């Protein structure tokens, strides 16, 4: 199957035009407005309940701060969790990487709000009851209903955020990080009783209770279904098995998968799946891989680079091994295309989605330019296939091989002192009127995006995706 | 989010916050008043609030002349001394027990509300509440004054089915929550 390249028929039509981008922005605005509305609602209900009116002295001010920070913090916490639930309606409009990035950014503010709530209510109670803070804490934790679980939840939450900070995450193994993150769900659940039993703005207030119960159930439902149930049901339903393993270069391998019901996988060129190898050691560690061939009814193919971790083991995976995929995720697809002309730029192991896009995008000859940055042309993954696709479909292909021109360049050295954007414009004269798809390592991608912008391409026509997880 | 959307949303939110703040100022005792005042309360509110309004701190002291029930002055101390030491099983032996009806006391869970905390111990003889002891009851801005009348109202209504004390709705709600949690243990 790999000796002779068989290509799927490319898309015959695609919707283009600025209106497509406008519709996307509108949809994003609606989602963000709804998210903000939940925050505004809880603040408004707090104000309607006279939350600020009662502020007369320090304890009452602290009490108001405690209420307000708990409301905002909890609301943001639920949004924060929804962002990593791999919900299709978020993925479709933002992409998995942007959602994960937003999740990371929201982590610390959520914690600050919750810690502020804890400290403010503790100090307020200590003042009104005339105790010192430690005594009050001991009293609350030991004697007041639901406070022990709530305090535990806070401690867990701090642990989760600290271990997510970049410096800590680099030092931790994936396993430890994973276990801590699974505990964060426990933290959220532990905090629930004290919210509904003693929360000043919830307990005994029907409107707020309905709002919060709905919000919790909505988020929990999305997580349980999209993060757990649906991947298992669909992933196992397809019944994927490794069919063949084909080395593509010295450090990349293509893994061909087949299954009973391949058509159920869905997916488009440019998207990725979370791949789980169903062996006792590996099943709980999913890895994101883009499909490296357009969806077809014969096989699903991932092309995997050897980065030394689990991906090293994947290079030698045995045919017949059962695997499971979750997805498809990502918006590195033709859905985002608004222009007739397209420039696809890839580096190293960023080539799989670009290879699949080149195969499947609707285009006439010359519409698409492919730029492939490799270290060594003889050892470039999928290069033969990309060359064949470009030959068959009449696309321009530029292979930039060799060492980089300078520390600030994403291109190879060609002996001339010409800025990247000038070389880019030479290769793709239509670049400012094109959709530009960029896939490669993070630092490299940033350099590419910079010179694409300098070449005159508007930001909304640049599509870059990182493997964020 | 586009700048225009952001601006529009910001203005709308600002209006919403100002509006709800105004409503909050106007609301005497807070929005929560709507909550527990259910069907029973509508019938009872005028009846229940009148005595409490007319006789908040003083008359509850006078009504404490009724034999076993009064919480305010003297009787308060005895159960209060016993409860911290043995909170789970508050001594039923201490209360005089006629052979016919059994007298049992139960302590509520501690309710943590806006202005402080409330915890009560309820003593029941037969099916009737005979005494309510305020184990912990803190509130700010003079709302503590509501507790004696609340206790009287509990005994009168034999439960938490009485109306709210105006200007102390949240305190009332927290107190009722405490009473209900104690009653649930019988």
């Amino acid at each position: 199957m790999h000796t002779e390249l068989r290509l799927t028929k490319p898309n015959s039509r695609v919707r283009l035009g600025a209106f497509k981008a406008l519709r996307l922005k509108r949809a994003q605005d609606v989602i963000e407005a709804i998210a903000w509305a939940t925050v505004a609602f809880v603040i408004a209900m707090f104000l309607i309940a006279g939350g600020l009116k009662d502020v007369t002295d320090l304890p009452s001010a602290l009490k108001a701060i405690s209420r307000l920070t708990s409301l905002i913090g909890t609301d943001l916490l639920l949004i924060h969790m929804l962002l990593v639930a791999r919900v299709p309606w978020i993925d479709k409009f933002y992409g998995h990487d942007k959602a994960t990035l937003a999740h990371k950014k929201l982590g610390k503010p959520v914690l600050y709000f919750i810690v502020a709530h804890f400290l403010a209510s503790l100090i307020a109670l200590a003042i009104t009851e005339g105790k010192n803070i430690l005594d009050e804490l001991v009293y609350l934790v030991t004697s007041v209903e639901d406070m022990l679980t709530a305090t535990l939840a806070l401690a867990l939450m701090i642990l989760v955020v600290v271990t997510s900070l970049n410096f800590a995450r680099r030092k931790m193994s994936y396993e430890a990080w994973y276990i801590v993150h699974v505990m964060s769900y426990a933290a959220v659940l532990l905090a629930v009783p004290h919210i509904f039993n003693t929360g000043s703005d919830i307990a005994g207030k029907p409107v707020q209770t309905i709002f919060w119960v709905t919000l919790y159930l909505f988020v929990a439902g999305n997580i349980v279904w999209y993060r757990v149930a649906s991947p298992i049901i669909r992933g196992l339903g397809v019944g994927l098995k490794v069919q063949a393993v084909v080395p593509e270069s010295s450090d990349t391998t293509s893994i061909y998968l087949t299954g009973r019901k391949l058509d159920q996988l869905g997916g488009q060129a440019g998207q990725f799946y979370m791949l789980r190898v169903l062996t006792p050691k590996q099943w709980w560690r999913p890895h994101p891989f883009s499909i490296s061939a357009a969806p077809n009814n014969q096989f699903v193919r991932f092309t995997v680079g050897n980065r030394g971790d689990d991906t090293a083991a994947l290079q030698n995976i045995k045919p017949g091994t059962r695997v499971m995929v979750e997805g498809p995720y990502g918006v590195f697809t033709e859905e985002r295309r608004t222009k007739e002309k397209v420039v696809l730029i890839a580096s190293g192991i960023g080539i799989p989605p670009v290879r699949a896009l080149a195969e499947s995008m609707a285009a006439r000859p010359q519409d698409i330019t492919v730029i492939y940055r490799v270290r060594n042309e003889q050892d470039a993954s999928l290069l033969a296939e990309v060359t064949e696709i470009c030959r068959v479909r009449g696309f321009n292909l530029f292979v930039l091989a060799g060492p980089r021109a300078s520390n600030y360049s994403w291109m190879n050295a060609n002996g001339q002192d010409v800025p990247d954007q000038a070389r880019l414009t030479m290769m793709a004269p239509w670049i400012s009127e094109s959709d530009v798809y960029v896939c490669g390592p993070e630092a490299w991608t940033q350099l590419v995006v910079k010179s694409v912008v300098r070449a005159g391409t508007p930001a909304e026509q640049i599509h870059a995706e990182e493997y964020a997880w | 989010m586009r700048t225009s959307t952001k601006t529009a949303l910001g203005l709308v939110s600002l209006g919403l916050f100002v509006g709800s703040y105004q409503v909050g100022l106007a609301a005497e005792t807070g929005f929560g008043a709507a909550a527990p005042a259910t069907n029973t309360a509508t019938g009872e509110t005028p009846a229940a609030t009148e005595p409490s309004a007319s006789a908040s701190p003083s008359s509850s002291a006078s009504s404490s002349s009724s034999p076993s029930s009064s919480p305010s002055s003297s009787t308060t101390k005895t159960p209060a001394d016993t409860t911290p030491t043995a909170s789970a099983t508050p001594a039923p032996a201490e209360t005089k027990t006629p052979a016919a009806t059994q007298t049992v006391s139960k302590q509520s869970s501690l309710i943590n509300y806006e202005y402080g905390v409330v915890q009560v111990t309820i003593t029941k003889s037969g099916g009737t509440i005979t005494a309510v002891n305020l184990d912990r009851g803190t509130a700010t801005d003079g709302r503590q004054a509501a507790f004696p009348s609340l206790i009287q109202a509990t005994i009168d209504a034999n439960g938490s089915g009485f109306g709210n004390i105006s200007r102390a709705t949240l305190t009332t709600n927290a107190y009722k929550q405490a009473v209900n949690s104690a009653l649930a243990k019988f």
Side-chain angles (χ1 to χ4, degrees), chain A residues 22 25-26 28-29 31-34 36-37 39-41 43-45 47-54 56-57 59-60 63 67 125 128-129 131 136 139-140 143-145 147 196-200 203-208, chain B residues 1-6 9-10 13 16-36 108-117 119 136 138-141 143 167 170 173 177 181 185:
Chain A
L22 183 66
K25 279 186 185 159
R26 272 190 200 150
Q28 290 178 341
D29 279 7
I31 292 176
E32 283 158 46
I34 291 172
W36 167 246
V39 179
F41 175 83
I43 298 176
M45 290 313 272
L47 292 170
I48 288 174
L52 284 186
K53 190 193 67 168
D54 296 313
T56 50
D57 51 359
S60 60
K63 198 77 202 181
R67 285 169 60 186
L125 269 178
T128 36
E129 300 193 357
K131 287 184 182 175
E136 185 64 46
Y139 171 76
L140 279 177
S143 311
V144 182
E145 225 171 350
M147 285 302 151
F196 286 96
N197 288 341
T198 59
S200 311
K205 301 187 178 182
V207 178
Q208 285 93 324
Chain B
M1 200 181 279
R2 288 171 295 178
T3 332
S4 52
T5 323
K6 219 180 247 178
L9 208 57
S13 316
L16 177 72
F17 294 154
V18 171
S20 34
Y21 178 69
Q22 291 300 328
V23 175
L25 281 185
E28 276 293 325
T29 49
F31 191 80
S108 77
S109 55
L110 194 127
I111 306 299
N112 181 12
Y113 78 113
E114 230 175 315
Y115 305 116
V117 289
Q119 186 168 33
R136 280 168 73 91
T138 53
T140 51
D141 299 336
R143 290 183 183 84
R167 301 204 56 84
L170 293 176
N173 288 346
Q177 224 181 318
S181 103
K185 292 176 181 169

Side-chain angles (χ1 to χ4, degrees), chain B residues 21-179:
Chain B
Y21 178 69
Q22 291 300 328
V23 175
L25 281 185
E28 276 293 325
T29 49
F31 191 80
T38 44
N39 41 13
T40 50
T42 42
E44 287 182 3
T45 309
T49 42
E50 268 169 31
S52 65
S54 63
S56 4
S58 56
S59 78
S60 64
S62 69
S63 67
S64 69
S65 54
S66 61
S68 66
S69 67
S70 164
S72 53
S73 54
S74 62
T75 27
T76 318
K77 282 166 194 161
T78 31
D81 289 339
T82 58
T83 40
T85 49
S87 58
T89 50
E94 277 210 349
T95 40
K96 284 164 275 175
T97 320
T101 55
Q102 204 185 357
T103 306
V104 186
S105 299
K106 299 278 185 193
Q107 189 181 34
S108 77
S109 55
L110 194 127
I111 306 299
N112 181 12
Y113 78 113
E114 230 175 315
Y115 305 116
V117 289
V118 184
Q119 186 168 33
V120 296
T121 299
I122 289 181
T123 308
K124 257 186 161 183
S125 186
T128 337
I129 296 176
T130 53
V132 177
N133 181 58
L134 191 65
D135 301 335
R136 280 168 73 91
T138 53
T140 51
D141 299 336
R143 290 183 183 84
Q144 304 89 309
F147 286 123
S149 21
L150 285 169
I151 288 165
Q152 192 52 49
T154 313
I155 292 161
D156 292 345
N158 196 29
S160 62
F162 52 88
N164 285 351
I165 293 188
S166 67
R167 301 204 56 84
T169 306
L170 293 176
T171 309
T172 309
N173 288 346
Y175 171 83
K176 283 181 178 178
Q177 224 181 318
V179 168

Side-chain angles (χ1 to χ4, degrees), chain A residues 57 88 135 173 366 406 421:
Chain A
D57 51 359
D135 286 350
S173 65
Q366 305 297 316
S406 77
Q421 69 266 26

Side-chain angles (χ1 to χ4, degrees), chain A residues 300-353:
Chain A
V300 181
R301 188 181 74 171
F302 299 107
T303 303
V304 178
N306 184 348
R307 286 173 304 184
D309 45 9
D310 282 349
T311 53
L314 278 173
Q315 310 283 322
N316 304 314
I317 189 172
K318 288 199 177 59
T321 310
R322 280 167 57 76
V323 296
M324 190 177 125
V325 294
E326 297 162 28
Y329 302 118
V331 290
F332 195 74
T333 63
E334 197 159 17
E335 288 285 304
R336 287 295 162 94
R337 180 176 173 191
T338 58
K339 299 285 180 187
E340 272 183 44
K341 303 283 185 188
V342 175
V343 182
L344 304 172
I345 310 177
S347 169
I349 198 57
I351 193 67

